[in-house]
Amino acid sequence: MKRRTAILVVDDDPFIITSLSEFLHARQFKVCSASSGKEGIEKFDAHQPPLVLLDQKLPDRNGLDICKKLLEINPRTKIIFITAHATVRYAVDAMQAGAFNYLSKPFSLDELLITINMALNSLQIEDKLRVQEYNRQQERQKIRLIGSSLVMDNLHEQIQLAAESDAIVLITGETGVGKSEIARAIHAQQARRETFLSINCAAIPENLVEAEYFGHEKGIFTGADVRREGIFELADGGTLLLDEIGEIPFHLQSKLLTVLEEKALRRIGGSRAIPVDVRIIATTNQKLEQAIEEKRFRQDLYYRLAVIKIHVPPLRRHLEDIPEIATYFAEQFCRKPLSFANGQMDQLMQYRWPGNVRELRNIIERAALVQKNKALRPAELLRLDREKTCTHMAGEAALLQGMEDLLPIDEVLNHYIAHAYRLCNRNKSLTARTLGVSLSTLKRKLKVLRATS
Ligand SMILES: Nc1ncnc2c1ncn2[C@@H]1O[C@H](COP(=O)(O)OP(=O)(O)OP(=O)(O)O)[C@@H](O)[C@H]1O
Ligand SMILES: [Mg+2]
């Protein structure tokens, strides 16, 4: 059954109390009443009604004082004044005291009901907003950057500084070090900005990038049946994370630069400049300086992006954080808290972690899965992985024994590249770096491989 809303009526006129009580009771409200200020405050304290109908003049206290007192006890209460002679002065005083509204006698019961419903609607909206704010805070608390090393302290300081301004941030560092998480942390600390959107520049087919970024007008190309807003417009007022910015096609870099400089964009096929207020955070695991030298990345765009630069060191530079981070992941992935077997942490701290925190996270997740209800031995899983890799490599080497098994060098190379790509979790940048080739070379090779396999 729906709970009835309580209303407190405070008035020294017994006729008003009786008639209002009967009327409200008949409309499913729970009514309590008081005939003096003192009694009103006591009843309010005891029943905490969300709504109060309050007489302007009471024998013992002024209605405005009581209004302030009630709001001190519960600031969310909606107070409606009932006044005998409403003057503009009194209305202003009532609103300043925090009242929701006022009714001047004589008023119709319809008028009263409408005002009550308006107050209850307003309460509902406030409740909804509070829930949203609570959810947002929960969401923000979910962002955890664990570690208390100097490296992490330094990063937290930089996050704080970046959150205090609206300047563009460029976050660099190897794959899996926590760049995207740091971007989210910067956004989370900026209370002013609500929306957080991200776009992975490497994941969009080249011919669609421009439309994804800046949107398009209707009918401008085949398939553009409706006008579409791009991600810059959708993120208006919020933060936009441009993940893997190093992968943005060269021909679009100058358009991006213009948008960043002018803080306005033009949709494809559109002539109107649309102003956008977006806080940009870009990340890359490429060495952009090298990309600039190789003419793959515009230098002017680089300078525009790197107003605030945060470099995230690899995990092997703050191995001392491993116990804390590993324990945090174990708490996340294990149903009940599990400890690590003896010596495991030491072994984890001796590994070089090419995949950084992501690799650590993955191995703890696997350990939690396969070592259910036992002490965790993630270092053992790592060792088994490496043994398997070695056996696999040895197996491939064995293939090459004997004249009949000899392969053309290109084929062997391709085989090796595919193998490295698998080992690097299909991360192109990491594979290219590990093999010491440029990203474009690797992509070319992978394309050939795909075509021939
Ligand atoms: N200090 C940390 N504490 C806890 N978790 C972390 C930390 N750093 C990173 N992580 C977690 O590690 C994973 C990888 O982080 P993230 O995706 O931010 O890396 P990245 O640098 O953006 O990688 P990529 O270059 O591949 O995009 C995420 O699950 C993230 O939550
Ligand atoms: Mg990322």
Side-chain angles (χ1 to χ4, degrees), residues 144-146 152 174-182 243-244 285 325 328-329 357-358 361 427:
R144 297 290 310 268
L145 287 163
I146 310 293
M152 289 310 295
E174 291 177 14
T175 183
V177 286
K179 298 184 295 296
S180 303
E181 200 69 24
I182 287 173
D243 237 337
E244 299 199 37
N285 49 32
I325 304 178
Y328 167 72
F329 286 144
V357 187
R358 182 181 292 114
R361 182 193 152 104
N427 180 319

Side-chain angles (χ1 to χ4, degrees), residues 377-412:
R377 296 175 177 278
E380 209 145 277
L381 294 182
L382 271 179
R383 186 177 55 79
L384 289 174
D385 275 358
R386 270 180 291 167
E387 272 175 19
K388 230 193 272 166
T389 311
C390 292
T391 324
H392 190 59
M393 300 274 269
E396 277 159 18
L399 268 181
L400 300 175
Q401 283 173 8
M403 280 294 283
E404 68 280 12
D405 286 323
L406 283 180
L407 296 169
I409 194 84
D410 266 350
E411 211 171 303
V412 178

Side-chain angles (χ1 to χ4, degrees), residues 268-448:
I268 304 175
S271 50
R272 194 167 59 93
I274 301 162
V276 278
D277 163 32
V278 180
R279 203 265 160 89
I280 302 289
I281 304 181
T283 73
T284 180
N285 49 32
Q286 281 191 49
K287 290 214 179 331
L288 286 184
E289 293 84 351
Q290 191 182 333
I292 292 168
E293 254 171 51
E294 292 170 8
K295 303 263 180 286
R296 285 185 288 115
F297 204 84
R298 291 180 68 112
Q299 191 163 28
D300 44 8
L301 177 60
Y302 173 77
Y303 287 128
R304 194 75 198 88
L305 291 171
V307 181
I308 299 179
K309 209 173 150 187
I310 299 180
H311 178 72
V312 192
L315 184 56
R316 61 183 172 281
R317 294 269 175 274
H318 57 117
L319 292 168
E320 65 271 37
D321 282 328
I322 284 183
E324 215 180 315
I325 304 178
T327 308
Y328 167 72
F329 286 144
E331 282 164 7
Q332 305 258 298
F333 295 125
C334 301
R335 286 240 177 113
K336 49 185 178 184
L338 286 182
S339 54
F340 288 84
N342 272 347
Q344 288 290 300
M345 285 298 178
D346 288 342
Q347 288 180 53
L348 292 182
M349 286 162 77
Q350 282 160 20
Y351 181 58
R352 283 184 60 75
W353 300 105
N356 294 294
V357 187
R358 182 181 292 114
E359 190 183 1
L360 176 60
R361 182 193 152 104
N362 291 348
I363 204 83
I364 304 289
E365 187 173 7
R366 258 177 65 205
L369 207 69
V370 298
Q371 296 158 355
K372 261 186 219 143
N373 306 325
K374 287 187 236 139
L376 300 176
R377 296 175 177 278
E380 209 145 277
L381 294 182
L382 271 179
R383 186 177 55 79
L384 289 174
D385 275 358
R386 270 180 291 167
E387 272 175 19
K388 230 193 272 166
T389 311
C390 292
T391 324
H392 190 59
M393 300 274 269
E396 277 159 18
L399 268 181
L400 300 175
Q401 283 173 8
M403 280 294 283
E404 68 280 12
D405 286 323
L406 283 180
L407 296 169
I409 194 84
D410 266 350
E411 211 171 303
V412 178
L413 261 183
N414 287 343
H415 193 72
Y416 185 71
I417 288 169
H419 181 63
Y421 185 46
R422 274 197 303 274
L423 277 185
C424 294
N425 277 337
R426 300 181 181 276
N427 180 319
K428 293 195 185 98
S429 307
L430 178 64
T431 316
R433 232 185 1 266
T434 312
L435 296 179
V437 295
S438 73
L439 192 62
S440 48
T441 309
L442 179 82
K443 280 184 178 168
R444 217 174 35 249
K445 294 274 182 201
L446 288 176
K447 217 174 189 174
V448 173

